[in-house]
């Protein structure tokens, strides 16, 4: 483990990646070409599944204490509330949406990284990479022009939507650019008559205006601008849109950020090329509708870190790493499709389509199951890896989480410094023998099963294998398939 892993880009994804590797004792360097942290608020929404993973990493408390807790989101049109989707039904101990500026998220992640002995090397740009098969030769150019060549065990490109790493590998970023632009303002808002910590979307025949709370009295305002060329607005223009499309009686003041953005929907097919991985915006970009981009990127990092740590520590075989791209690219495809659909619904222009939209949304969101499903889907707790190559031993008829699904809403793997699977099984001689055989992969303590059966739970809380009580060969085979050096005993199965 002498060569470090090089993480390129200290946005939320690179910071998460470096902190997780540091937590697991893997040598890591984190570089960013920018001289300082972003002061832009960009991503505001941190969803429950991300909070669960931050809790496992040992740093959710600081996030929960810093952000606003939004209890619901509402959709309005023509002076009526069309729908209100409460978050209390989300199957997580974090059953709310945390609103926190991306600049704060990055600050908290950097504090967490520092608490683990890591740091960000700023003003250091990756300008070349060569994958040599047993490592990656990287060229870094530091502020002032000093050039450094370093050997990395692995390189992880968390270098954002315009990723140098992706371009250097020649990976196509397939997808489209939407023809509509958006403007954005972070400003003080007076006169908005909805709960102060509730995101609210107002539909109007000319477009939408959306309010996302950031701090008492302060909101992120987003509005679509059709085919008008992209431009940073002034406050007067935003006020005019709010007056026209909003509920009326709102006064904006004290803007701290006025900007614009276009929407790209793009992904790479494979997040891995040899010893180089991509994560976050470097691998996928999409509409901010649903607030998923940063969450998805941070979850990429959580997914890859434990696998890379096990492989680097020689506790699992390298095939474990092949599951990363398969699992995460499937999630990205789903999120791209969901956020694209949401965006197109917001952008409907024909009067008939808008009328139908209002009628359908009002009717469908009266059904509690619909409200609950939408909230849980947005929260990330329904993310699953049904096609993961790590899934093994689905026991038909066994109630409870299946391979690829999140184990349980209240499951907290506990912040530890080694990535370990948990055996959920009744305490008996066979269970203890299994733990004794697989000390490199299994936690040394059992968790009692919620009902009859055996579950093998991954370090990130997803089920790897299930078996009926007593059917230990299934679990043994799953562990042996991942182990670095399957023992003769394991090969028996
Ligand atoms: C207006 C807006 C609102 C959004 N709202 C949400 C939301 O509510 N929820 C959500 O989940 N997402 C949201 N997003 C998306 C979110 O901001 C991104 O998904 C997130 O920033 C991606 O993080 P990242 O770490 O992958 O990349 P980035 O944050 O782009 O970081 C990449 C880093 O890499 C560095 N870098 C680049 N090239 C090099 C190089 N060659 N060498 C060294 N360093 C390099 C850059 O300096 C940068 O610091 C929003 C985005 C926008 C624009």
């Amino acid at each position: 483990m002498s060569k470090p892993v090089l993480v390129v880009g200290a946005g939320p994804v690179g910071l998460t990646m470096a902190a997780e590797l540091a937590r697991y004792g893997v040598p890591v360097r984190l570089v960013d070409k920018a001289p300082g942290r972003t002061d832009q608020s960009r991503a505001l929404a941190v969803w429950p599944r991300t909070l669960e993973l931050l809790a496992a990493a040992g740093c959710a408390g600081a996030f929960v204490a810093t952000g606003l807790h939004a209890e619901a989101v509402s959709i309005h049109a023509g002076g009526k509330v069309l729908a209100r989707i409460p978050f209390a039904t989300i199957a997580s101990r974090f059953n709310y949406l945390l609103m926190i500026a991306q600049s704060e998220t990055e600050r908290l992640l950097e504090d967490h990284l520092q608490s683990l002995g890591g740091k960000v090397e700023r003003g250091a740009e990756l300008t070349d990479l060569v994958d040599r098969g047993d490592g990656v030769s990287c060229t870094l150019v530091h502020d002032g022009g000093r050039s450094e060549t370093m050997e990395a065990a692995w390189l992880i490109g968390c270098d954002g939507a315009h990723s140098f790493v992706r371009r250097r590998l020649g990976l196509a970023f397939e997808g489209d650019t939407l023809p509509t632009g958006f403007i954005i303002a972070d400003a003080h808002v007076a006169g908005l008559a909805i709960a102060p910590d509730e995101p609210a979307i107002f539909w109007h025949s000319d477009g939408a205006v959306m309010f996302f709370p950031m701090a008492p009295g302060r909101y992120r305002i987003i509005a679509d601008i059709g085919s008008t060329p992209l431009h940073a607005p002034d406050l007067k223009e935003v006020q005019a849109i709010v007056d026209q499309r909003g509920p009326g009686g709102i006064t904006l003041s004290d803007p701290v950020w006025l900007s614009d953005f276009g929407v790209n929907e793009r992904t790479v097919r494979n997040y891995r090329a040899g010893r180089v991985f991509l994560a976050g915006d470097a691998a996928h970009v999409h509409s901010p509708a649903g607030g998923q981009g940063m969450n998805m990127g941070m979850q990429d990092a959580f997914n890859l870190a434990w696998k890379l740590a096990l492989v680097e520590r020689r506790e699992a075989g390298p095939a474990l790493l092949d599951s990363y791209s398969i699992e995460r690219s499937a999630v990205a495809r789903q999120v791209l499709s969901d956020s694209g659909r949401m965006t197109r619904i917001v952008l409907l222009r024909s009067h008939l389509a808008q009328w139908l939209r209002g009628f359908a949304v009002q009717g469908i969101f009266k059904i509690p199951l619909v409200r609950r499903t939408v909230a849980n889907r947005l929260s990330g707790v329904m993310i699953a890896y049904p096609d993961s190559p790590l899934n093994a031993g689905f026991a038909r008829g066994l109630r409870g989480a299946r391979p690829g699904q999140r184990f349980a809403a209240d499951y907290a793997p506990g912040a530890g410094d080694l990535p370990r699977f948990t055996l959920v099984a009744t305490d008996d001689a066979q269970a203890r023998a299994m733990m004794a055989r697989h000390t490199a992969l299994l936690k040394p303590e059992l968790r009692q099963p919620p009902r009859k059966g055996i579950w093998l739970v991954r370090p990130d809380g997803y089920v790897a294998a299930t078996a009926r009580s007593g059917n230990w060969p299934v679990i043994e085979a799953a562990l042996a398939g991942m182990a670095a050096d399957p023992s003769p005993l394991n090969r028996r199965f």
Side-chain angles (χ1 to χ4, degrees):
M1 284 214 300
S2 51
K3 290 183 210 163
V5 174
L6 180 67
V7 178
V8 181
V13 178
L15 285 162
T16 305
M17 190 76 224
E20 282 293 271
L21 290 173
R23 175 162 80 98
Y24 294 139
V26 176
V28 58
R29 281 182 72 180
L30 172 60
V31 296
D32 198 296
K33 66 181 180 182
R37 240 187 350 243
T38 178
D39 57 359
Q40 292 184 353
S41 52
R42 289 167 74 192
L44 283 186
V46 176
W47 288 100
R49 184 60 189 146
T50 307
L51 287 173
E52 290 180 353
L53 291 164
L54 287 169
C59 66
F63 282 82
V64 168
T66 307
L68 284 183
H69 297 200
E71 311 288 346
V73 59
S74 53
I75 303 174
H76 310 246
K80 279 196 295 201
V81 181
L82 295 185
R84 187 168 182 277
I85 304 161
F87 296 136
T89 58
I90 293 172
S92 169
R93 65 209 143 108
F94 302 103
N95 57 352
Y96 51 83
L97 167 62
L98 191 78
M99 305 298 292
I100 180 169
Q102 186 168 327
S103 46
E104 282 294 280
T105 293
E106 291 183 19
R107 179 181 67 78
L108 294 174
L109 287 171
E110 193 169 340
D111 288 351
H112 176 57
L113 173 66
Q114 279 169 359
S115 76
L116 295 162
K119 63 170 187 192
V120 183
E121 298 176 50
R122 299 199 186 276
E125 178 172 2
L126 179 80
T127 58
D128 199 12
L129 66 101
V130 180
D131 186 342
R132 302 204 182 277
D134 60 349
V136 188
S137 290
C138 307
T139 307
L140 298 171
V141 175
H142 295 265
D143 268 0
R146 180 174 65 87
S147 178
E148 174 196 354
T149 305
M150 67 157 293
E151 294 299 312
W154 304 89
L155 187 147
I156 308 175
C158 305
D159 50 345
H162 304 288
S163 170
F164 166 78
V165 176
R166 186 186 66 231
R167 282 183 281 124
R168 181 69 179 79
L169 294 173
L171 297 175
F173 209 24
E174 292 166 3
D176 296 312
T177 303
L178 292 193
T180 306
F182 292 82
I183 53 166
I184 188 163
D186 288 353
H188 188 269
V189 172
L192 181 60
I194 44 171
D197 48 12
E198 185 167 310
I201 299 164
F202 292 86
W203 284 341
H204 180 269
S205 53
D206 290 335
V209 63
M210 299 165 252
F211 294 85
F212 299 95
M214 301 177 68
R218 293 206 76 86
Y219 284 80
R220 152 83 48 83
I221 300 151
I222 297 181
D224 54 297
I225 53 168
S227 53
T228 311
L230 280 176
H231 63 284
D234 58 16
L235 191 63
K236 228 170 101 196
E237 180 181 350
V238 185
Q239 179 74 60
I241 291 178
V242 166
D243 289 344
Q244 183 199 24
R245 304 180 189 176
I250 290 177
T251 309
L252 308 182
S253 60
D254 190 18
V256 292
W257 191 43
L258 292 159
S259 190
D260 58 353
F261 63 92
V263 173
N264 280 290
E265 295 177 330
R266 293 177 190 277
T267 54
V268 289
R269 279 201 191 172
N270 200 337
Y271 293 12
R272 177 182 182 184
R275 288 195 157 253
V276 184
F277 294 90
L278 294 175
D281 277 18
H284 44 72
V285 290
H286 59 89
S287 155
Q292 300 289 328
M294 181 183 74
N295 286 265
M296 204 166 41
M298 289 168 70
Q299 290 175 30
D300 290 346
F302 283 117
N303 184 294
L304 179 56
W306 67 265
K307 296 171 181 171
L308 201 54
L310 280 173
V311 171
E312 269 300 279
R313 297 174 64 92
R314 313 271 186 272
E315 291 165 339
L320 185 62
L321 296 171
D322 294 335
S323 63
Y324 166 67
S325 180
I326 296 169
E327 292 180 356
R328 296 306 301 167
S329 63
V331 173
R333 279 194 297 276
Q334 185 63 58
V335 169
L336 251 77
S337 146
D338 286 355
S339 67
R341 198 173 311 122
M342 281 189 262
T343 308
R344 285 171 182 85
I345 288 172
V346 166
L347 296 179
L348 286 174
R349 278 294 165 274
S350 109
H351 286 303
L352 177 63
Q354 288 180 347
W355 181 85
L356 284 171
R357 172 183 73 183
F359 183 73
V361 163
Q362 206 172 3
I364 206 163
F365 280 99
K366 283 203 177 107
I367 305 167
L369 178 65
V370 172
R371 293 199 297 270
R372 196 164 64 235
T373 305
V374 169
N376 276 277
R377 194 164 170 119
L378 285 169
S379 75
V381 301
M382 287 168 78
I383 289 170
Y385 304 126
D387 300 320
S388 172
L390 302 184
N391 293 349
F394 168 49
R396 214 166 272 287
L398 192 74
R399 289 196 301 128
R402 297 174 176 197
Q405 292 180 340
R406 171 169 158 272
F407 173 61
D410 63 348
Y411 177 76
D417 53 7
L418 291 174
R420 291 288 180 264
F421 288 69
T422 304
L423 203 48
V424 181
T426 309
D427 191 358
D428 61 18
Q430 282 177 299
R432 267 175 269 130
M434 183 74 63
M435 287 191 299
R437 268 202 299 282
H438 289 287
T439 48
L441 288 175
L442 284 177
K443 273 192 194 163
E445 67 276 353
L446 286 168
R447 185 182 154 116
Q448 283 309 302
R451 53 185 71 83
K452 275 179 93 174
I454 310 171
W455 282 263
L456 179 64
V457 182
R458 306 169 9 161
D460 55 5
Y462 293 91
V463 175
T466 59
R468 289 181 189 284
S469 298
N471 194 359
W472 286 103
V474 167
I475 304 297
E476 182 72 50
L479 285 164
M482 288 183 282
D485 177 22
S487 70
L489 188 64
N490 295 339
R491 278 191 230 119
R492 216 158 38 91
F493 292 97

